[in-house]
Amino acid sequence: MEDKNDILLKQLFEQAAQQQIEDNGFTERVMMNLPEVKESRVRCYTRLWTMFCVVIAILIFWLISGWDMIEGMMTGGKHMLINTIEVFMLTAPTTEIEINPWTVVLLLGFVLVFLPYQTFRKLSATL
């Protein structure tokens, strides 16, 4: 059931959509007087700017020893994850909460491996 105001609004917009506004060729004259920009020049500038940014990024990455930083972060993250799982496996049976550590490990594997895989698969199928 529609409200009276909704019906009035629909009628107003339907009437407005049917109206034609004459511009006596104004739009065409404006489009003719716009300055022409050559696509090749713009495309060349964008490619040069992109190359400049890529070169600067590579230079900064090299100057700050980016590979060493990435390797250190990956190694540290791996050790932290292994230590966290190890501590959990050792302390979970001693808590008062009835929890099976293997269930938690399987659940963690499901969340970290299977769900991202399924998300990637669905996204790649839609694209």
Side-chain angles (χ1 to χ4, degrees):
M1 188 159 167
E2 292 187 20
D3 190 13
K4 182 179 177 182
N5 291 334
D6 291 337
I7 295 170
L8 290 173
L9 279 174
K10 281 184 183 178
Q11 289 175 354
L12 175 70
F13 287 125
E14 286 174 1
Q15 291 172 358
Q18 294 173 358
Q19 290 180 354
Q20 293 289 333
I21 299 174
E22 292 295 325
D23 65 352
N24 298 325
F26 176 75
T27 305
E28 288 82 16
R29 289 193 308 269
V30 169
M31 294 303 289
M32 290 295 205
N33 289 324
L34 287 176
E36 288 187 32
V37 178
K38 298 194 178 215
E39 275 190 43
S40 61
R41 185 173 55 177
V42 172
R43 189 171 289 159
C44 180
Y45 287 152
T46 58
R47 286 182 181 160
L48 285 174
W49 179 249
T50 303
M51 290 299 288
F52 174 75
C53 291
V54 167
V55 167
I56 293 297
I58 289 172
L59 182 66
I60 290 172
F61 187 77
W62 179 72
L63 287 174
I64 63 171
S65 301
W67 288 118
D68 295 335
M69 294 172 81
I70 291 174
E71 182 183 1
M73 285 191 299
M74 295 298 280
T75 303
K78 181 180 70 172
H79 289 297
M80 186 173 64
L81 181 63
I82 290 171
N83 288 340
T84 303
I85 292 173
E86 182 181 1
V87 166
F88 176 75
M89 294 293 283
L90 292 174
T91 59
T94 62
T95 62
E96 294 178 7
I97 301 170
E98 292 295 324
I99 187 169
N100 187 352
W102 290 108
T103 305
V104 174
V105 169
L106 288 173
L107 182 65
L108 186 65
F110 176 77
V111 169
L112 292 177
V113 176
F114 184 72
L115 288 180
Y117 168 74
Q118 287 295 325
T119 305
F120 172 75
R121 200 177 68 132
K122 287 180 182 177
L123 283 176
S124 62
T126 59
L127 297 177

